[in-house]
Amino acid sequence: NNTSKMFNSFLKIAFRNFTRSKGNALLNVLGLATGITCCLLIFEYVAYERSYESFNPDAGRIIRVQDEEYQNGQMIVPCAAAMPGVAPAMKREFPEIENAARLRKISILLGNDTRNIQFHEASVYYADQAVIPVFHLRLIKGNEKTALIDPGKILLSETLARKYFGKDEPMGKVLTVHIGGKLRPLEVTGVFRDYPDNSHIRFGVLISYPSYSRVIGTADKADDPLETSFG
């Protein structure tokens, strides 16, 4: 038909032009391919950046509280964090707050002394029990309602569980924090699926928040600053 003949004619013309000026034709093809590739990479990058936290069904309902101090209308202390007493106080005084979770980032030397291995972990968090439901951590081992309630407990991602225990069962085993010549044992009470990379928080190791009170010596005190401090 006429359409087929026209298409064949265009192909012949294109082929003749290509053979007559191979340099220009090759340059045009390479330019077009490079442009398309760059566009696809840019689209992929933008899509990934816009996907942050999208895996969490409650992402739109989670608010990060931070401390900013002002004098005479001018901010003098910008801070991406809040003081530890803020979370329990807000949960107690604002009924619209369904849950509150605190995280304190630290770096530690963590070891499995039974296997004689130690690693420096730069992204470790003291974490409230509420971190599990708020951030939808998926535990494949352990009880998601109790794993971080008591002091001296630790949760690991799948990757880090393999890193410290290999093929051995990690539940109930002990990892040791080596700090200043002192040893602090932590019982493994859970393993969670690796947290997605498209999150502004990267979870790998979670230590129960009450463990921090033990570290600073304020555990079980009525005025424990980790529960009351706004300073």
Side-chain angles (χ1 to χ4, degrees):
N1 55 32
N2 291 333
T3 302
S4 178
K5 292 180 179 179
M6 186 181 302
F7 183 71
N8 289 334
S9 178
F10 284 147
L11 284 178
K12 291 179 181 178
I13 294 172
F15 182 74
R16 288 172 183 170
N17 288 335
F18 180 79
T19 55
R20 289 175 182 174
S21 183
K22 294 181 181 179
N24 287 337
L26 184 61
L27 186 62
N28 289 335
V29 170
L30 287 176
L32 179 61
T34 302
I36 293 174
T37 301
C38 289
C39 286
L40 291 175
L41 290 174
I42 291 171
F43 286 141
E44 180 70 19
Y45 175 79
V46 172
Y48 177 76
E49 290 295 310
R50 290 177 61 85
S51 74
Y52 265 59
E53 318 300 345
S54 62
F55 58 86
N56 190 331
D58 293 328
R61 301 168 58 226
I62 300 173
I63 304 300
R64 179 172 179 168
V65 180
Q66 64 184 47
D67 174 45
E68 296 176 353
E69 297 181 23
Y70 291 81
Q71 285 187 3
N72 300 321
Q74 299 293 320
M75 186 192 302
I76 59 170
V77 179
C79 182
M83 300 304 108
V86 173
M90 291 187 71
K91 189 177 179 182
R92 183 173 60 248
E93 298 181 17
F94 292 86
E96 59 268 38
I97 294 178
E98 298 177 33
N99 214 339
R102 294 169 295 182
L103 291 162
R104 179 179 176 83
K105 188 176 182 181
I106 60 171
S107 61
I108 59 175
L109 181 63
L110 188 63
N112 182 342
D113 295 344
T114 302
R115 299 182 66 197
N116 196 30
I117 57 174
Q118 296 179 0
F119 298 99
H120 181 264
E121 300 293 348
S123 296
V124 178
Y125 291 93
Y126 285 112
D128 279 323
Q129 173 65 32
V131 164
I132 296 175
V134 168
F135 290 96
H136 286 264
L137 293 179
R138 298 173 60 192
L139 266 63
I140 56 177
K141 293 179 182 292
N143 189 327
E144 63 181 21
K145 295 182 179 180
T146 62
L148 289 173
I149 286 181
D150 297 324
K153 309 303 181 183
I154 186 171
L155 264 63
L156 302 172
S157 68
E158 281 185 283
T159 296
L160 289 187
R162 288 192 298 269
K163 177 179 175 181
Y164 284 95
F165 295 98
K167 295 181 179 180
D168 295 341
E169 171 60 57
M171 293 294 292
K173 301 291 178 59
V174 172
L175 292 178
T176 305
V177 178
H178 297 254
I179 179 170
K182 297 181 179 180
L183 305 180
R184 297 188 182 277
L186 297 170
E187 179 189 356
V188 179
T189 53
V191 177
F192 57 89
R193 295 197 184 281
D194 289 349
Y195 209 61
D197 288 335
N198 54 336
S199 170
H200 76 294
I201 297 180
R202 305 292 173 86
F203 293 116
V205 180
L206 297 177
I207 301 175
S208 57
Y209 202 81
S211 302
Y212 190 36
S213 294
R214 290 277 181 90
V215 170
I216 65 175
T218 60
D220 303 322
K221 293 184 178 180
D223 59 346
D224 184 353
L226 292 185
E227 299 299 327
T228 61
S229 176
F230 277 72

